[in-house]
Amino acid sequence: DVKVTQSSRYLVKRTGEKVFLECVQDMDHENMFWYRQDPGLGLRLIYFSYDVKMKEKGDIPEGYSVSREKKERFSLILESASTNQTSMYLCASSLEGPSYEQYFGPGTRLTVT
Amino acid sequence: AQSVTQLDSQVPVFEEAPVELRCNYSSSVSVYLFWYVQYPNQGLQLLLKYLSGSTLVESINGFEAEFNKSQTSFHLRKPSVHISDTAEYFCAVSLRGGSNYKLTFGKGTLLTVNP
């Protein structure tokens, strides 16, 4: 059974803290993605990675960075968390190519106070 | 750039009634089309997709969607819904032949099935 796991389901951080969200997939997928999901806005792509150490900006990269040192692990980093980064964060992975489905993790609900 | 419009943000229906969730897309190049479903407190999972061939595609739980190229639509339908179909549904597109593998999602339609 394919699986994408995220390090936390719920996270509460203070403004200005550095936050790490971890994602691990066990399917040997080339592509990995980070989205944020907000009510009424759907899913918006933050960053994606198509290979180890390779990354591309998505639609809303400001305030975020990513790291992919191993194929199975993709980390999202909030360098200095702000209240407008309170959101649901979803990680996904897929095989290489636009026709392949993305497999999603359960999400991390981050609250920044 | 491509875009996806889901015309209804919320669709309430009674159990055993038919339902249609509407999706229109805009793109200058050919696309692949997807419907994803998100049950409460879960991540998204693929419901069905259109890649090529027959324009009518079906899922294992009774949903179907039809690709209409002239109307740039990919509406999702089910003839008789169950309480367990209550979820948020997202339409998405990716570009054929693109090196950018990202999906562009619509804003979602919350389907609520009432007894």
Side-chain angles (χ1 to χ4, degrees), chain A residues 31-71:
Chain A
N31 296 336
M32 296 189 75
F33 308 83
W34 274 108
Y35 296 92
R36 66 176 282 176
Q37 181 179 15
D38 300 288
L41 296 179
L43 275 75
R44 294 177 291 168
L45 182 66
I46 304 171
Y47 268 97
F48 74 99
S49 169
Y50 50 91
D51 202 349
V52 175
K53 296 189 186 295
M54 306 303 288
K55 63 186 179 186
E56 281 198 26
K57 293 180 180 179
D59 300 317
I60 51 165
E62 296 79 18
Y64 303 95
S65 62
V66 291
S67 172
R68 194 171 179 196
E69 297 295 319
K70 294 184 177 182
K71 189 175 185 179

Side-chain angles (χ1 to χ4, degrees), chain A residues 9-10 31 33 35 37 40-43 45 48 50 56 59 90 96-102 104-106, chain B residues 32 34 36 38 41-46 49 51 88 90 94-98 100-103 105-108:
Chain A
R9 290 301 303 270
Y10 300 94
N31 296 336
F33 308 83
Y35 296 92
Q37 181 179 15
L41 296 179
L43 275 75
L45 182 66
F48 74 99
Y50 50 91
E56 281 198 26
D59 300 317
L90 292 168
E96 189 176 4
S99 66
Y100 291 104
E101 72 175 280
Q102 292 186 14
F104 284 81
Chain B
Y32 298 113
F34 304 81
Y36 282 80
Q38 185 179 32
N41 298 315
Q42 295 185 27
L44 278 71
Q45 56 187 273
L46 181 71
K49 63 183 178 182
L51 302 182
E88 192 156 21
F90 293 92
S94 64
L95 300 182
R96 286 179 184 268
N100 182 329
Y101 303 143
K102 75 172 201 173
L103 279 173
F105 285 89
K107 294 182 178 181

Side-chain angles (χ1 to χ4, degrees), chain B residues 14-109:
Chain B
F14 288 109
E15 195 173 16
E16 298 183 4
V19 70
E20 179 179 76
L21 307 183
R22 297 179 292 168
C23 172
N24 287 93
Y25 70 92
S26 172
S27 176
S28 58
V29 300
S30 295
V31 297
Y32 298 113
L33 294 152
F34 304 81
W35 276 100
Y36 282 80
V37 59
Q38 185 179 32
Y39 298 105
N41 298 315
Q42 295 185 27
L44 278 71
Q45 56 187 273
L46 181 71
L47 187 61
L48 47 75
K49 63 183 178 182
Y50 172 75
L51 302 182
S52 64
S54 172
T55 56
L56 185 66
V57 291
E58 298 177 353
S59 73
I60 58 173
N61 59 350
F63 282 93
E64 63 180 31
E66 186 157 22
F67 169 52
N68 188 318
K69 188 175 182 179
S70 63
Q71 296 188 10
T72 60
S73 68
F74 191 53
H75 301 332
L76 182 70
R77 291 186 285 263
K78 189 170 185 179
S80 176
V81 293
H82 304 291
I83 298 283
S84 60
D85 293 323
T86 294
E88 192 156 21
Y89 292 79
F90 293 92
C91 183
V93 302
S94 64
L95 300 182
R96 286 179 184 268
S99 58
N100 182 329
Y101 303 143
K102 75 172 201 173
L103 279 173
T104 298
F105 285 89
K107 294 182 178 181
T109 298

Side-chain angles (χ1 to χ4, degrees), chain A residues 85-102:
Chain A
Q85 293 179 308
T86 291
S87 186
M88 172 69 84
Y89 290 88
L90 292 168
C91 175
S93 71
S94 75
L95 290 168
E96 189 176 4
S99 66
Y100 291 104
E101 72 175 280
Q102 292 186 14

